[in-house]
Amino acid sequence: MKITTVLRSAAAVTALAFAVTGCAQSSTAAKNNAAGDAGSKTVRVFISGDTNIQNLWEKELAPAFEKANPGYKVQVQIDLHGEHDAQTLAKLTSSVEQKKDADFDLVDGGFVAKASGAGLLEPMDTGKVAALGDVPADVVKAGGTGGIPYRGSSVLLAYDTKSVPTPPKTLDDLLAWIKANPGKFTYNSPKSGGSGASFAATVLDKYIPADARQKMTVGYEKDLESTWDQGFDTLRSLNPYVYQKGVYPNGNKQTLELLASGQISMAPVWSDQFITGSANGSIPATVKAAQISDPSFTGGAAYLGIPANTPNKDAALKLANFVLEPEQQAEIVKEISGYPAISLDKLPADVRDKFQNADTNNLRKGYFDQMSKDMNNLWDQKVPGQ
């Protein structure tokens, strides 16, 4: 994607009301639904994400859905930061194989594409979710047959204009700037947040053949991990030049705090967090953001999915369609700075203006889930302290 100004983006979406401790409530709802009473109009949403997603649903999307659809209710479970994704996917797999209720009707998580590929989700098309016709075909395809794209996100390069009046425009320019300005750049460790992981992946991608990179975005290609060697060498060579000669923050937030406090002058950041910080004053007005190229930082769509055997399929589809309506897509832009999933021409003029310098439908994809995990582990072994 191409971005020359600060843009809204990223984060996560999907949620309302009760927490992970609400397993008993979830089970009760499932029994009500199976019994065919009013619970059949309750949509149980499971989120693998952050509290900003929960807040969006509690305060905006869920109340709006319930108001627009009298008799329907939304309940939410949240697995904060997706710490139990493997267990959730295993539970979903078991429920489908045994033809049992998974205890949720709509899921928002990074494992949706994997679940789709495993045949665990209800197949989607425009007959079930009409707005898919307004989403780029390649974005729909990336989520598999069962993925429902509903927002997008990417990582940007944030910089303090007091010390960096003109930011680097390419990855090579950025790497040269880091070495020319020791101590003024850093990124969080890849395991601790997506902005740091995006920077690491982008450096690795500089040296990977295009056909190999494509394979690594859609499947687990462990044999191709040797193509990362040169990129890891480059990342390791940056140690003397990053903040305090090799300090990597723990998480996206700590990176932003270093930037906001003036301890560093440049860093990769999630644009949703950047926009929010700029709006509430926690990030100074002198700090701006842009995208680099050759290659750009990674981004992509976030997907919803409906378990293949949910007893509340109709209600879940109703909610999925609602989230993709222009009014709700505009709300996602407003509340969490997410890229809209549907075509910009479907949205109000003020929303379109926010993305006038962005190609919101051309986000450079990250690695396949297991490839990302391997990259994170290898970074821990090969980069810091070396």
Side-chain angles (χ1 to χ4, degrees):
M1 75 185 272
K2 297 178 181 178
I3 304 181
T4 56
T5 57
V6 176
L7 301 176
R8 300 194 171 235
S9 159
V13 156
T14 259
L16 154 44
F18 71 119
V20 175
T21 53
C23 292
Q25 293 170 280
S26 172
S27 297
T28 299
K31 291 176 182 177
N32 289 342
N33 294 339
D37 61 12
S40 63
K41 289 189 175 183
T42 295
V43 187
R44 300 161 299 167
V45 177
F46 185 92
I47 310 169
S48 170
D50 295 324
T51 54
N52 63 327
I53 302 175
Q54 185 177 9
N55 290 337
L56 174 73
W57 277 78
E58 287 178 347
K59 297 177 181 179
E60 305 294 339
L61 295 179
F65 176 74
E66 293 175 353
K67 182 178 180 180
N69 299 278
Y72 284 84
K73 298 294 180 183
V74 179
Q75 295 178 334
V76 173
Q77 304 171 63
I78 181 168
D79 177 19
L80 195 60
H81 309 310
E83 293 181 358
H84 305 93
D85 277 357
Q87 295 95 312
T88 303
L89 186 58
K91 177 182 178 181
L92 177 59
T93 301
S94 177
S95 70
V96 172
E97 289 176 347
Q98 299 178 32
K99 298 183 179 180
K100 294 183 178 179
D101 186 1
D103 289 334
F104 53 84
D105 309 304
L106 190 70
V107 59
D108 166 26
F111 58 85
V112 167
K114 182 183 291 186
S116 177
L120 304 177
L121 303 178
E122 176 74 8
M124 290 295 133
D125 55 37
T126 54
K128 295 175 181 175
V129 180
L132 288 178
D134 295 322
V135 180
D138 61 336
V139 176
V140 176
K141 183 178 180 180
T145 59
I148 307 168
Y150 72 101
R151 64 173 179 82
S153 61
S154 78
V155 172
L156 302 175
L157 181 67
Y159 60 99
D160 192 336
T161 58
K162 290 187 297 184
S163 53
V164 188
T166 303
K169 298 190 180 300
T170 68
L171 178 60
D172 283 342
D173 291 343
L174 173 56
L175 294 174
W177 187 95
I178 293 169
K179 292 187 175 182
N181 298 270
K184 293 300 182 180
F185 173 90
T186 193
Y187 61 100
N188 57 271
S189 59
K191 275 186 180 177
S192 70
S195 61
S198 179
F199 174 76
T202 301
V203 173
L204 298 184
D205 289 348
K206 172 178 168 62
Y207 306 100
I208 300 174
D211 59 341
R213 178 52 164 79
Q214 173 60 24
K215 292 178 181 177
M216 295 162 83
T217 65
V218 296
Y220 187 39
E221 302 285 346
K222 191 171 182 62
D223 291 346
L224 293 177
E225 290 180 4
S226 60
T227 62
W228 286 341
D229 290 348
Q230 191 171 357
F232 277 125
D233 287 344
T234 297
L235 290 168
R236 184 166 53 249
S237 75
L238 297 178
N239 281 335
Y241 305 100
V242 301
Y243 178 62
Q244 295 185 352
K245 297 184 177 181
V247 172
Y248 300 93
N250 181 28
N252 307 307
K253 183 178 178 182
Q254 285 190 12
T255 303
L256 275 171
E257 289 171 349
L258 288 174
L259 186 63
S261 64
Q263 296 182 70
I264 58 175
S265 299
M266 191 180 295
V269 300
W270 279 117
S271 57
D272 68 310
Q273 294 179 321
F274 179 82
I275 294 294
T276 299
S278 297
N280 64 28
S282 63
I283 297 177
T286 58
V287 178
K288 306 297 182 183
Q291 181 59 276
I292 62 169
S293 61
D294 300 325
S296 65
F297 288 134
T298 54
Y303 295 85
L304 303 175
I306 298 174
N309 59 323
T310 174
N312 299 325
K313 195 170 298 181
D314 289 345
L317 283 168
K318 194 174 189 69
L319 179 55
N321 275 285
F322 180 81
V323 169
L324 284 170
E325 290 177 357
E327 185 175 355
Q328 280 60 249
Q329 289 282 291
E331 198 64 36
I332 290 171
V333 172
K334 174 184 175 182
E335 295 298 324
I336 64 163
S337 306
Y339 291 171
I342 64 175
S343 300
L344 287 175
D345 60 10
K346 303 286 184 180
L347 299 174
D350 62 328
V351 175
R352 294 197 301 272
D353 289 345
K354 297 179 189 299
F355 298 97
Q356 60 181 328
N357 294 310
D359 184 356
T360 61
N361 294 325
N362 185 25
L363 303 177
R364 198 171 75 84
K365 298 179 178 63
Y367 290 122
F368 187 70
D369 180 61
Q370 188 58 51
M371 299 295 298
S372 293
K373 291 178 180 177
D374 284 3
M375 184 199 76
N376 294 347
N377 290 332
L378 288 169
W379 186 93
D380 286 346
Q381 298 169 27
K382 293 175 176 288
V383 176
Q386 302 298 316

